Amino acid sequence: MMEDEDARTNLIVNYLPQSMSQDELRSLFSSVGDVESAKLIRDKVAGHSLGYGFVNFVNPSDAERAISTLNGLRLQSKTIKVSFARPSSDTIKDANLYISGLPRTLSQPDLEDMFTRFGHIINSRVLVDQASGLSRGVAFIRFDKRSEAEDAVKHLNGHTPPGCSEPITVKFAANPNQARNSQMMSQMYHGQSRRFGGPVHHQAQRFRFSPMSVDHMGGGGGVSGSASAGWCIFIYNLGQDADEAILWQMFGPFGAVVNVKVIRDFNTNKCKGFGFVTMTNYEEAAMAIHSLNGYRLGDKVLQVSFKTSKGHK
C-alpha cells in the first residue's frame, strides 16, 4: 500500500533554473500544500544542480494540484515540467468526468457521495452561480484511474440517482489535446463559450501563456478590458513581495488563465498591493472569485472581484 500512496504524492520536477536552490524548490511547492520532502539533484562531484528534483507531498490532492498549478510555470528562462514520478501509464490518463443535469441544491460532498463507490476521487468541483451562490447543475470529478471513471459513466449516465428528479449526463471531460480544434469544448458549456473556445481543464496547456511572455501580447488593444478576450479579475491587498507566479498558482487550478499582472511601484519595483488576472471562461472566473475572496495570503486577507468597468481602458 505504501508504494501506491507514494506514487500519488511523489513528483518529479524537470527544467529547473540552474541557480535554484533546494530551499527555493521546497518553498515554491509549499505554496500548494504540505511538503514532506524536496530534493534537488546535484552533480556528485562538482556539486552544481542538474536541473531537476523530486518533491513528495503529504497529501495526494496537493500533489495533483501542484501539477495543475505549477507545470508549465516560467521561472527565469526556463519552463518547468511537473509530473508524477512514476512512469506514465494509460491506466491513469483521461479519468476526468463532466456531469450535468444535477439538482441545484447538490453540494460538493453530496456529489462525492454519489460517485465514491466507483473508485478513488482525486478532486471534484461543482460550478456555482456567482449571483445566487447556487450550483449551476454542472460538475467535474477526477478519478485516480480511467477504469473507475468508465465505471461511473456506465452506471450513472442517463440514470436518475437518489436525490435527483431527472436523469443526469456523465461523460468524459474533453481532453484539451483532442478537443482544442473541435466542437467538444463549446458543446461542453452549452453555448456558454462566448466566441472563445471553452476552457482547457487542468492540463499544462493552459500555461501556454507564461507570465514572462504576457508583454508580447500587445498592450494596445490588449487583453485587459475586453470581454471577448476573457474576464478580468481584480485582486486587492497583495503583499509587497507578491509576484506573477503567485497569481498563476492561485488562479491556475480554477481554469484557463490568459494573463496575470502585478502592479508594481515604479521606483522600488515592489507590489503596490493589487493585481489583475484574466480568465477565459466566466464560470471558472466566478468560481475562482468565490473561492479566493477572503483568502489569507501570508498576513493579508485578499479581496477578489470582477473588475467593474467593462470598457477598454
Side-chain angles (χ1 to χ4, degrees), residues 228-248:
S228 65
W231 300 86
C232 192
I233 300 166
F234 177 65
I235 302 99
Y236 177 68
N237 213 17
L238 290 164
Q240 281 201 325
D241 297 326
D243 61 5
E244 277 78 3
I246 286 177
L247 294 181
W248 284 102

Side-chain angles (χ1 to χ4, degrees), residues 163-174:
C164 298
S165 52
E166 53 188 61
I168 62 171
T169 299
V170 182
K171 60 186 182 185
F172 281 96

Side-chain angles (χ1 to χ4, degrees), residues 9 23 36 119 194 232 244 249 313:
T9 55
D23 285 348
E36 193 171 277
R194 300 191 184 80
C232 192
E244 277 78 3
Q249 288 168 33
K313 281 273 185 286

Side-chain angles (χ1 to χ4, degrees), residues 64 96 112 121-125 140-143 202:
E64 175 81 15
N96 194 26
E112 293 208 357
I121 294 171
I122 285 180
N123 56 28
S124 66
R125 193 152 65 91
F140 290 92
I141 279 198
R142 176 182 282 263
F143 280 98
H202 45 228

Side-chain angles (χ1 to χ4, degrees), residues 37-99:
S37 63
K39 184 165 178 54
L40 182 69
I41 307 302
R42 294 184 174 276
D43 182 282
K44 285 190 171 59
V45 183
H48 60 267
S49 162
L50 293 177
Y52 74 99
F54 294 91
V55 175
N56 199 5
F57 278 95
V58 177
N59 299 310
S61 58
D62 289 336
E64 175 81 15
R65 199 160 75 240
I67 292 175
S68 66
T69 313
L70 299 176
N71 183 38
L73 187 71
R74 183 126 179 158
L75 293 176
Q76 294 166 33
S77 60
K78 304 276 194 175
T79 301
I80 69 170
K81 179 170 187 266
V82 184
S83 52
F84 283 115
R86 54 183 168 168
S88 171
S89 78
D90 288 340
T91 60
I92 57 171
K93 279 194 197 132
D94 304 330
N96 194 26
L97 297 180
Y98 167 82
I99 304 112

Side-chain angles (χ1 to χ4, degrees), residues 130-308:
Q130 183 65 7
S132 66
L134 286 175
S135 152
R136 288 175 172 261
V138 171
F140 290 92
I141 279 198
R142 176 182 282 263
F143 280 98
D144 186 36
K145 298 189 174 69
R146 186 175 171 95
S147 57
E148 297 169 340
E150 282 168 351
D151 236 15
V153 171
K154 194 166 74 189
H155 287 94
L156 289 180
N157 184 40
H159 290 257
T160 307
C164 298
S165 52
E166 53 188 61
I168 62 171
T169 299
V170 182
K171 60 186 182 185
F172 281 96
N175 177 332
N177 300 326
Q178 302 149 358
R180 193 168 304 131
N181 302 319
S182 79
Q183 289 306 302
M184 278 172 78
M185 287 297 191
S186 47
Q187 95 197 11
M188 263 175 74
Y189 271 88
H190 309 304
Q192 287 282 332
S193 46
R194 300 191 184 80
R195 297 220 305 282
F196 32 72
V200 173
H201 279 283
H202 45 228
Q203 295 275 347
Q205 275 80 0
R206 74 160 163 277
F207 285 100
R208 287 194 305 282
F209 308 96
S210 71
M212 302 295 167
S213 70
V214 294
D215 301 345
H216 308 313
M217 297 177 79
V223 164
S224 55
S226 96
S228 65
W231 300 86
C232 192
I233 300 166
F234 177 65
I235 302 99
Y236 177 68
N237 213 17
L238 290 164
Q240 281 201 325
D241 297 326
D243 61 5
E244 277 78 3
I246 286 177
L247 294 181
W248 284 102
Q249 288 168 33
M250 287 195 316
F251 287 83
F254 294 96
V257 174
V258 184
N259 194 357
V260 297
K261 187 166 183 58
V262 167
I263 307 304
R264 292 187 164 82
D265 181 283
F266 187 71
N267 297 314
T268 64
N269 208 31
K270 295 278 193 196
C271 171
K272 288 173 78 170
F274 59 99
F276 298 95
V277 170
T278 306
M279 294 184 72
T280 319
N281 182 273
Y282 172 80
E283 293 181 346
E284 293 177 336
M287 185 80 177
I289 289 170
H290 179 72
S291 304
L292 294 174
N293 186 37
Y295 178 80
R296 182 178 286 278
L297 184 65
D299 56 354
K300 306 264 193 194
V301 176
L302 301 184
Q303 293 172 30
V304 182
S305 60
F306 278 115
K307 184 167 153 248
T308 42

